[in-house]
Amino acid sequence: MAVNIRVRSVNFSFRRKHLVSGSVILVLLVLSSLWLANISPYRTDANEQYFRAKVLSTHISRSPTFGMTETIEAQVVDGPHASNTTTVTRTVNYGDKSYVRMPVGSDILLGKEKGTANIYQYIERWHIPGVATIFTILLIVVLLVGWWRGLTSLLGLTISIWVLAVFVIPRIIAGSSPYAVCIEAAFVITMISIYTAHGLSKRTTIALISSCITLGVVIGLVALSTYLVGTSEVVNEDATGLVSGANSISLSGLFTGAIIIASLGVLYDITTSQSAAVDEIRKANRKLSNLELYHKGLSVGREHIAALINTLALAYVGVALPSILITVMYNNGAPFVVALNGEPVVEEIIRTFVACMGTLLAVPITTALAAYLLPRWSPHKQKLLKN
């Protein structure tokens, strides 16, 4: 009886400790998101200065010359002239209801050259508060559903974003090869994020090894695909701007590097889940041979692949849908195969195909490693061998 009471007491204190820690983390995350919503874009050392402003009133007018324009009276929120009112105009000829809508009280972003009079220009809506709200909702959902595993997954996501923001983007802008930089970042993110998100265990170690092996295969597939297809990536004005910058950026290298980074998420999913599946099968029946364990684990992985490949295709097409629509709309009545040959469409096809091949290969690689290594790492297996 005394033992039972002690066990319950330990469990209770353990749960209470985690509840308090989780509550503190949740409060900190919510406060950080609120800070993000009110962060100021104003900088005194920038040539082009930006200010937040709150909309006081709006008026839409139409003219045969300038089309439909909107006059906005707003109150500046940032900088030395905060609380001053100003009037700016914007063109609303696009006709999209979400673009035309400018409610009184909403926040907008204004721009002004440093050292000039208080003449502001309308830049766009200030989206950060809405982003922060969605971010807060995400945090709450992650904590309610995933709890500690959700917290570690957020930490892994934070590290991945940090690597991209601090390592990848600055180095590419500085003139480094996008392809090489993305390969380096992919291995760094893989080695850090898997252990951060899933903890240090035999499963995650196998997932890490499998991810690195599959990532190497994906790198080769990306290089082969872009060589065979011959995409140039010069498909819009944004791409042209990258080429004509101070440090010309290789668009083909950027394209291939982006595919490698985009493939990381699906590799995590496959390798971690497949490693866990093989481990659970082994624990359910420790008498299975390595070959039997491999076949049973592969059967589970095939079911996962069936759903994941369709998910990948829909995700990539959904992201690229505007570019694909533009390509199809302005092909001047050319045959469908000509529209299919357009670079925006071809790029998404390559992304989908390479990601699918990486997913397919990750399953047998992870399953084989898990079926071979897990029984040899198991103390229970070692005792059976000694007996």
Side-chain angles (χ1 to χ4, degrees), residues 105-148:
S106 58
D107 294 329
I108 58 176
L109 183 64
L110 304 180
K112 182 179 76 72
E113 291 186 10
K114 186 177 181 180
T116 61
N118 295 329
I119 301 176
Y120 300 92
Q121 293 181 340
Y122 173 83
I123 304 297
E124 60 184 346
R125 291 280 294 272
W126 183 239
H127 304 292
I128 298 300
V131 173
T133 302
I134 299 299
F135 176 65
T136 304
I137 296 174
L138 171 63
L139 293 177
I140 296 173
V141 172
V142 166
L143 289 173
L144 290 177
V145 178
W147 197 225
W148 288 107

Coordinates of all heavy atoms in Angstrom, one line a residue, residues 105-148:
G105 N -9.7 51.8 -39.1 CA -9.0 51.2 -37.9 C -8.0 50.2 -38.2 O -7.3 49.8 -37.3
S106 N -7.9 49.8 -39.5 CA -6.9 48.8 -39.9 C -5.5 49.5 -40.0 O -5.4 50.7 -40.1 CB -7.3 48.1 -41.2 OG -7.4 49.1 -42.2
D107 N -4.5 48.7 -39.9 CA -3.1 49.2 -40.0 C -2.6 49.1 -41.4 O -2.8 48.1 -42.1 CB -2.2 48.4 -39.0 CG -2.6 48.6 -37.6 OD1 -3.1 49.7 -37.3 OD2 -2.4 47.7 -36.8
I108 N -1.8 50.1 -41.8 CA -1.1 50.1 -43.1 C 0.3 50.5 -42.9 O 0.8 50.9 -41.9 CB -1.8 51.1 -44.1 CG1 -1.7 52.5 -43.5 CG2 -3.2 50.7 -44.4 CD1 -2.3 53.6 -44.4
L109 N 1.1 50.2 -44.0 CA 2.6 50.5 -44.0 C 2.8 51.6 -44.9 O 2.4 51.6 -46.1 CB 3.3 49.2 -44.4 CG 4.9 49.3 -44.4 CD1 5.4 49.6 -42.9 CD2 5.5 48.1 -44.9
L110 N 3.5 52.7 -44.4 CA 3.8 53.8 -45.2 C 5.3 53.9 -45.4 O 6.1 53.4 -44.5 CB 3.3 55.1 -44.5 CG 1.8 55.2 -44.2 CD1 1.5 56.5 -43.6 CD2 1.0 55.0 -45.5
G111 N 5.8 54.5 -46.5 CA 7.2 54.7 -46.7 C 7.5 56.2 -47.0 O 6.7 57.0 -47.4
K112 N 8.8 56.6 -46.6 CA 9.2 58.0 -46.8 C 10.7 58.0 -46.9 O 11.4 57.3 -46.2 CB 8.8 58.8 -45.7 CG 9.1 60.3 -45.8 CD 8.6 61.1 -44.7 CE 9.5 60.9 -43.4 NZ 10.8 61.6 -43.6
E113 N 11.3 58.8 -47.9 CA 12.7 58.9 -47.9 C 13.2 59.7 -46.8 O 12.7 60.7 -46.4 CB 13.1 59.5 -49.3 CG 12.9 58.6 -50.5 CD 13.4 59.2 -51.8 OE1 14.2 60.3 -51.6 OE2 13.1 58.7 -52.8
K114 N 14.4 59.3 -46.2 CA 15.0 60.0 -45.1 C 15.4 61.4 -45.5 O 16.0 61.6 -46.6 CB 16.2 59.2 -44.6 CG 16.7 59.7 -43.3 CD 17.9 58.8 -42.8 CE 18.4 59.4 -41.5 NZ 19.6 58.5 -41.0
G115 N 15.1 62.4 -44.7 CA 15.6 63.7 -44.9 C 14.6 64.6 -45.7 O 14.8 65.7 -45.9
T116 N 13.5 64.0 -46.2 CA 12.5 64.7 -47.0 C 11.4 65.2 -46.1 O 11.3 64.8 -44.9 CB 12.0 63.8 -48.1 OG1 11.3 62.7 -47.5 CG2 13.1 63.4 -49.0
A117 N 10.5 66.0 -46.7 CA 9.4 66.5 -45.9 C 8.5 65.3 -45.6 O 8.7 64.2 -46.1 CB 8.6 67.5 -46.7
N118 N 7.5 65.5 -44.7 CA 6.6 64.5 -44.3 C 5.6 64.1 -45.4 O 4.4 64.3 -45.3 CB 5.9 64.9 -43.0 CG 6.8 65.1 -41.9 OD1 7.9 64.4 -41.8 ND2 6.5 66.0 -41.0
I119 N 6.2 63.6 -46.5 CA 5.4 63.1 -47.6 C 5.5 61.6 -47.6 O 6.6 61.1 -47.9 CB 5.9 63.7 -48.9 CG1 5.8 65.3 -48.9 CG2 5.0 63.2 -50.1 CD1 6.4 66.0 -50.1
Y120 N 4.4 61.0 -47.4 CA 4.4 59.5 -47.2 C 3.8 58.9 -48.5 O 3.0 59.5 -49.2 CB 3.6 59.1 -46.0 CG 4.1 59.6 -44.7 CD1 3.7 60.8 -44.2 CD2 5.1 58.9 -44.0 CE1 4.2 61.3 -43.0 CE2 5.6 59.4 -42.8 CZ 5.1 60.6 -42.3 OH 5.6 61.1 -41.1
Q121 N 4.2 57.6 -48.7 CA 3.7 56.8 -49.8 C 3.1 55.6 -49.2 O 3.6 55.0 -48.3 CB 4.7 56.5 -50.8 CG 5.3 57.7 -51.6 CD 6.3 57.2 -52.6 OE1 6.9 56.2 -52.5 NE2 6.5 58.1 -53.6
Y122 N 1.9 55.2 -49.8 CA 1.3 53.9 -49.3 C 2.1 52.7 -49.9 O 2.5 52.7 -51.1 CB -0.1 53.8 -49.9 CG -0.8 52.5 -49.6 CD1 -1.4 52.3 -48.4 CD2 -0.8 51.5 -50.6 CE1 -2.0 51.0 -48.1 CE2 -1.4 50.3 -50.4 CZ -2.0 50.1 -49.1 OH -2.6 48.8 -48.9
I123 N 2.5 51.8 -49.0 CA 3.2 50.6 -49.4 C 2.3 49.4 -49.5 O 2.1 48.9 -50.6 CB 4.4 50.3 -48.4 CG1 5.3 51.5 -48.2 CG2 5.1 49.1 -48.8 CD1 6.0 51.9 -49.5
E124 N 1.7 49.0 -48.4 CA 0.7 47.9 -48.4 C 0.1 47.8 -47.0 O 0.4 48.6 -46.1 CB 1.4 46.6 -48.7 CG 2.5 46.2 -47.7 CD 3.3 45.0 -48.1 OE1 2.7 44.3 -49.0 OE2 4.3 44.7 -47.6
R125 N -0.8 46.9 -46.9 CA -1.4 46.6 -45.6 C -0.4 46.1 -44.6 O 0.6 45.5 -45.0 CB -2.6 45.6 -45.7 CG -3.8 46.1 -46.4 CD -4.7 46.9 -45.5 NE -5.2 46.1 -44.4 CZ -6.4 45.5 -44.5 NH1 -7.1 45.5 -45.6 NH2 -6.8 44.8 -43.5
W126 N -0.5 46.4 -43.3 CA 0.4 45.9 -42.3 C -0.1 44.6 -41.8 O -1.1 44.5 -41.1 CB 0.5 46.9 -41.1 CG 1.4 46.5 -40.0 CD1 1.1 46.4 -38.7 CD2 2.8 46.4 -40.2 NE1 2.3 46.1 -38.0 CE2 3.3 46.1 -38.9 CE3 3.7 46.4 -41.2 CZ2 4.7 45.8 -38.6 CZ3 5.1 46.2 -41.0 CH2 5.5 45.9 -39.7
H127 N 0.5 43.5 -42.3 CA 0.0 42.1 -42.2 C 0.5 41.5 -40.9 O 0.0 40.4 -40.5 CB 0.5 41.3 -43.3 CG 0.0 41.8 -44.7 ND1 -1.3 41.8 -45.1 CD2 0.7 42.3 -45.7 CE1 -1.4 42.4 -46.3 NE2 -0.2 42.6 -46.7
I128 N 1.5 42.0 -40.2 CA 2.1 41.3 -39.1 C 1.1 41.0 -37.9 O 1.2 39.9 -37.4 CB 3.3 42.2 -38.5 CG1 4.4 42.3 -39.6 CG2 3.9 41.5 -37.3 CD1 5.0 41.0 -40.1
P129 N 0.2 41.9 -37.6 CA -0.7 41.5 -36.5 C -1.5 40.3 -36.9 O -1.8 39.4 -36.0 CB -1.6 42.8 -36.4 CG -0.8 43.9 -36.9 CD 0.1 43.3 -38.0
G130 N -2.0 40.2 -38.1 CA -2.7 39.0 -38.5 C -1.9 37.7 -38.5 O -2.3 36.7 -38.0
V131 N -0.6 37.9 -38.9 CA 0.3 36.8 -38.9 C 0.6 36.3 -37.4 O 0.6 35.1 -37.1 CB 1.7 37.1 -39.5 CG1 2.7 36.0 -39.3 CG2 1.5 37.4 -41.0
A132 N 0.7 37.3 -36.5 CA 1.0 37.0 -35.1 C -0.3 36.3 -34.5 O -0.1 35.4 -33.7 CB 1.3 38.3 -34.3
T133 N -1.5 36.7 -34.9 CA -2.7 36.0 -34.4 C -2.7 34.6 -34.8 O -3.0 33.7 -34.0 CB -3.9 36.8 -34.9 OG1 -3.9 38.1 -34.5 CG2 -5.2 36.1 -34.4
I134 N -2.4 34.3 -36.1 CA -2.4 32.9 -36.6 C -1.3 32.1 -35.9 O -1.5 31.0 -35.5 CB -2.2 32.9 -38.1 CG1 -3.3 33.6 -38.8 CG2 -2.1 31.5 -38.6 CD1 -4.7 33.0 -38.6
F135 N -0.2 32.8 -35.6 CA 0.9 32.1 -35.0 C 0.5 31.8 -33.5 O 0.9 30.7 -33.1 CB 2.1 33.1 -34.9 CG 3.3 32.6 -34.2 CD1 4.0 31.4 -34.6 CD2 3.8 33.2 -33.0 CE1 5.1 31.0 -33.9 CE2 4.9 32.7 -32.3 CZ 5.5 31.6 -32.8
T136 N -0.2 32.6 -32.9 CA -0.6 32.3 -31.5 C -1.6 31.1 -31.5 O -1.5 30.3 -30.6 CB -1.3 33.6 -30.9 OG1 -0.4 34.7 -30.9 CG2 -1.7 33.3 -29.5
I137 N -2.5 31.1 -32.5 CA -3.5 30.0 -32.6 C -2.7 28.7 -32.8 O -3.0 27.7 -32.2 CB -4.5 30.3 -33.7 CG1 -5.3 31.5 -33.3 CG2 -5.4 29.1 -33.9 CD1 -6.3 31.9 -34.5
L138 N -1.7 28.8 -33.7 CA -0.9 27.6 -33.9 C -0.2 27.1 -32.7 O -0.2 25.9 -32.4 CB 0.2 27.9 -35.0 CG 1.3 26.9 -35.2 CD1 0.7 25.6 -35.8 CD2 2.4 27.4 -36.1
L139 N 0.3 28.0 -31.9 CA 1.0 27.6 -30.6 C 0.0 26.9 -29.7 O 0.3 25.9 -29.1 CB 1.6 28.8 -29.9 CG 2.7 29.5 -30.6 CD1 3.1 30.8 -29.8 CD2 3.9 28.6 -30.7
I140 N -1.2 27.4 -29.6 CA -2.2 26.8 -28.7 C -2.6 25.4 -29.2 O -2.7 24.5 -28.4 CB -3.4 27.8 -28.6 CG1 -3.0 29.1 -27.9 CG2 -4.5 27.1 -27.8 CD1 -4.1 30.1 -27.9
V141 N -2.8 25.3 -30.5 CA -3.2 24.0 -31.1 C -2.1 23.0 -30.9 O -2.3 21.8 -30.5 CB -3.6 24.2 -32.5 CG1 -3.8 22.8 -33.2 CG2 -4.8 25.0 -32.7
V142 N -0.8 23.4 -31.1 CA 0.3 22.5 -31.0 C 0.4 22.0 -29.5 O 0.7 20.9 -29.3 CB 1.6 23.2 -31.4 CG1 2.8 22.5 -30.9 CG2 1.6 23.4 -32.9
L143 N 0.3 23.0 -28.6 CA 0.4 22.6 -27.2 C -0.8 21.7 -26.7 O -0.6 20.7 -26.0 CB 0.4 23.8 -26.3 CG 1.7 24.6 -26.4 CD1 1.6 25.9 -25.6 CD2 2.9 23.8 -25.8
L144 N -2.0 21.9 -27.2 CA -3.1 21.1 -26.8 C -3.1 19.7 -27.4 O -3.4 18.7 -26.8 CB -4.4 21.8 -27.2 CG -4.8 23.1 -26.5 CD1 -6.1 23.7 -27.1 CD2 -5.0 22.8 -25.0
V145 N -2.6 19.6 -28.7 CA -2.6 18.3 -29.3 C -1.3 17.6 -29.1 O -1.3 16.4 -28.8 CB -2.9 18.5 -30.8 CG1 -2.8 17.2 -31.6 CG2 -4.2 19.2 -31.1
G146 N -0.2 18.3 -29.3 CA 1.1 17.6 -29.3 C 1.8 17.7 -27.9 O 2.7 16.9 -27.6
W147 N 1.4 18.6 -27.1 CA 2.0 18.8 -25.7 C 3.5 18.9 -25.8 O 4.0 19.7 -26.6 CB 1.5 17.8 -24.8 CG 1.7 18.1 -23.3 CD1 2.2 17.3 -22.3 CD2 1.4 19.4 -22.7 NE1 2.3 18.0 -21.1 CE2 1.8 19.2 -21.3 CE3 0.9 20.6 -23.1 CZ2 1.7 20.3 -20.4 CZ3 0.8 21.6 -22.2 CH2 1.2 21.5 -20.9
W148 N 4.3 18.0 -25.1 CA 5.7 18.2 -25.1 C 6.3 17.9 -26.5 O 7.3 18.5 -26.9 CB 6.3 17.2 -24.1 CG 6.1 17.7 -22.7 CD1 5.2 17.2 -21.8 CD2 6.6 18.9 -22.1 NE1 5.2 17.9 -20.6 CE2 6.1 19.0 -20.8 CE3 7.6 19.8 -22.5 CZ2 6.4 20.0 -19.9 CZ3 7.9 20.9 -21.6 CH2 7.3 20.9 -20.3

